[in-house]
Amino acid sequence: MKVVIVYASIHHGNTRKLVEAIADKYEIDMVDATTQQKADLSQYELIGFASGIDFGKFYESIERFLKENLPEHKKVFFLYTCARTSESFTQTMRTEALQKAAVLTGEYGCRGYNTYGAWKLIGGMNRHHPDRAELDSAVRFYESLLENLQEK
Ligand SMILES: Cc1cc2nc3c(=O)[nH]c(=O)nc-3n(C[C@H](O)[C@H](O)[C@H](O)COP(=O)(O)O)c2cc1C
């Protein structure tokens, strides 16, 4: 199955670590939406969008990338890292993807090192996250996606 993960990982490269953990084990293409605004995604059967969370949402660059490049009827999943994992941050991305008749296959989020604002003064929060266990969980999430899709 041809897979691409489009990512934006601006704050500390936290989200990129999730993408790289998957890329270390599986052959996937990676697109950095902060440096590349256009890509032909028609060849991919499964498309991931990965981002740090910026005031409750995915980074603007990745929202725009989805709007401008996601072909219709694609299978889509989401990855993110954030300061606090208590809420889901994918609402806007899900809505935009559904407008392209995407099939939403799942999402995985975990904590990421955060030095925004006053956190910087005390060394940040979630130091050393994503950690090994969270990276392994991201890979397991990806594996379960593949299994589910292959069963269909
Ligand atoms: C400007 C800014 C806004 C943020 N807003 C949120 C937020 O609303 N909710 C949250 O849980 N984390 C928030 N964070 C924390 C980041 O989402 C977190 O550090 C993430 O792991 C960064 O990912 P990246 O290094 O891949 O960019 C914010 C961080 C910054 C710098």
Side-chain angles (χ1 to χ4, degrees):
M1 186 181 312
K2 224 167 150 31
V3 182
V4 62
I5 302 182
V6 183
Y7 67 94
S9 186
I10 297 167
H11 188 38
H12 284 293
N14 298 326
T15 313
R16 190 183 158 97
K17 288 180 187 160
L18 301 185
V19 181
E20 283 174 344
I22 294 168
D24 280 349
K25 205 163 167 199
Y26 293 92
E27 204 176 302
I28 61 164
D29 290 336
M30 293 168 57
V31 172
D32 183 348
T34 65
T35 55
Q36 187 177 333
Q37 281 83 46
K38 291 236 162 292
D40 177 7
L41 302 183
S42 58
Q43 58 184 309
Y44 296 102
E45 195 176 332
L46 180 62
I47 300 171
F49 290 95
S51 178
I53 298 305
D54 185 20
F55 296 108
K57 295 164 69 186
F58 276 35
Y59 289 120
E60 205 263 329
S61 53
I62 199 146
E63 282 188 10
R64 191 165 3 100
F65 192 101
L66 184 154
K67 272 191 227 167
E68 292 179 4
N69 297 283
L70 179 63
E72 298 216 320
H73 301 291
K74 289 293 183 183
K75 297 182 186 86
V76 165
F77 66 96
F78 301 111
L79 300 171
Y80 60 85
T81 62
C82 58
R84 290 195 180 80
T85 52
S86 51
E87 44 184 308
S88 173
F89 298 106
T90 56
Q91 184 61 57
T92 309
M93 292 292 280
R94 279 186 276 140
T95 303
E96 292 294 341
L98 287 173
Q99 286 186 9
K100 308 260 188 166
V103 178
L104 305 183
T105 59
E107 62 183 66
Y108 173 79
C110 70
R111 288 184 290 164
Y113 182 43
N114 175 32
T115 54
Y116 179 60
W119 284 106
K120 192 165 43 202
L121 305 175
I122 54 165
M125 69 187 293
N126 302 336
R127 235 181 143 75
H128 309 302
H129 289 273
D131 62 14
R132 188 67 256 164
E134 288 161 331
L135 297 178
D136 289 346
S137 294
V139 174
R140 274 200 303 279
F141 160 77
Y142 180 74
E143 283 166 348
S144 70
L145 281 187
L146 293 185
E147 280 162 20
N148 289 341
L149 292 174
Q150 273 148 15
E151 277 164 19
K152 283 180 184 159

